[in-house]
Amino acid sequence: MNSNFTKFISVLKKAPLVLLLLLPFQTVSENIKFSTDSMTGSISSKNNTTILTGNAKVITESMEISADQIQITGENYRFITATGNVSGKSESFDFTCGRLTYDRETKRANLQDSVTLIDEQNDVTAQAEIIEYNQESEIAVMQIDVNIQQKNNTCVASYAIYRKEGQMLDLSGNPNIQQGNDIFRAQQISLNLETQQITLDGRVRGTVSTESSTGEKADGN
């Protein structure tokens, strides 16, 4: 049989029950499971494509994704693209967004359109228009209308980097942090989410309530 022969399949159309199946392929180290209302796909020696439509769900060993539609492409089904009411979770975060792309090889995810990222372990909820997340380094880069809630902190910026392992948050792009009634502004702000220490750099200004009992919180450079 020609190695480039392409076989088209269409199954599970309007299935009355959502079934969890093992894809008829697997990489050396990882299986992929999925469920959906309908599926179309093609298989060749160089490229694989599978499209799941309607209540689509994909589970890998490090990521779980649900969406209106999910497309899996590339050699060994390396790339996952989800669109429409996207939600899911990894080992570190829960998330919702309008669109997600995920590279199973590099373990990098790009989330777009009204993104919410939740780190329940550290009580962190982040919202932005774009969030890029690296599962290996556990670093999330956030862009556009960034809003981060953590304990008594409300952090707003145009750009932010969240380092989960080190529990550090770096903000830029007209950032400010509100802690209770206290407000801090600067060109760049760093917040240690564990100790709650704030470091402000560049055009530092703020408002501190005399009734605040949180003690000294800021170092301005």
Side-chain angles (χ1 to χ4, degrees):
M1 182 180 294
N2 190 318
S3 62
N4 291 323
F5 172 77
T6 300
K7 179 174 64 176
F8 291 91
I9 54 176
S10 180
V11 298
L12 302 178
K13 288 189 175 181
K14 305 301 181 181
L17 296 175
V18 177
L19 303 177
L20 187 62
L21 306 175
L22 180 66
L23 286 174
F25 56 84
Q26 69 178 55
T27 65
V28 174
S29 60
E30 183 177 36
N31 292 327
I32 304 174
K33 297 180 180 180
F34 75 92
S35 63
T36 187
D37 290 341
S38 65
M39 182 186 83
T40 59
S42 64
I43 300 175
S44 71
S45 61
K46 295 183 178 180
N47 185 67
N48 305 309
T49 300
T50 296
I51 300 174
L52 313 176
T53 303
N55 298 306
K57 186 173 186 177
V58 170
I59 301 175
T60 72
E61 292 180 2
S62 59
M63 184 76 78
E64 181 177 312
I65 304 167
S66 298
D68 293 338
Q69 184 177 90
I70 299 177
Q71 180 171 297
I72 314 172
T73 60
E75 185 175 355
N76 292 323
Y77 294 83
R78 174 178 173 177
F79 303 104
I80 299 174
T81 300
T83 55
N85 298 307
V86 181
S87 64
K89 60 183 178 181
S90 66
E91 296 173 349
S92 301
F93 295 101
D94 294 343
F95 57 83
T96 61
C97 61
R99 175 182 172 85
L100 173 145
T101 58
Y102 178 60
D103 186 331
R104 295 196 305 111
E105 186 172 306
T106 63
K107 304 296 184 183
R108 293 175 180 266
N110 182 286
L111 298 84
Q112 300 181 21
D113 302 334
S114 301
V115 184
T116 297
L117 196 67
I118 300 174
D119 177 4
E120 292 186 354
Q121 179 183 358
N122 297 294
D123 192 27
V124 175
T125 299
Q127 294 178 316
E129 284 303 305
I130 301 173
I131 297 181
E132 297 178 359
Y133 171 57
N134 186 323
Q135 284 185 294
E136 297 291 343
S137 63
E138 292 195 317
I139 294 176
V141 178
M142 310 173 196
Q143 301 179 60
I144 307 174
D145 294 333
V146 179
N147 185 298
I148 300 169
Q149 305 284 334
Q150 191 261 352
K151 295 182 179 178
N152 195 39
N153 299 301
T154 298
C155 309
V156 177
S158 296
Y159 185 87
I161 300 176
Y162 174 45
R163 295 174 173 85
K164 176 182 170 67
E165 185 175 356
Q167 280 298 281
M168 288 298 301
L169 178 64
D170 296 318
L171 306 168
S172 59
N174 196 29
N176 71 77
I177 293 180
Q178 181 171 347
Q179 289 186 327
N181 295 322
D182 302 339
I183 301 175
F184 304 92
R185 296 183 176 90
Q187 289 182 313
Q188 295 182 328
I189 301 177
S190 294
L191 172 63
N192 186 314
L193 299 175
E194 184 174 359
T195 66
Q196 300 295 293
Q197 179 178 354
I198 301 175
T199 300
L200 309 172
D201 189 12
R203 299 180 182 176
V204 178
R205 58 200 188 279
T207 302
V208 179
S209 171
T210 58
E211 296 179 359
S212 173
S213 59
T214 54
E216 185 177 351
K217 297 180 283 299
D219 293 326
N221 298 316

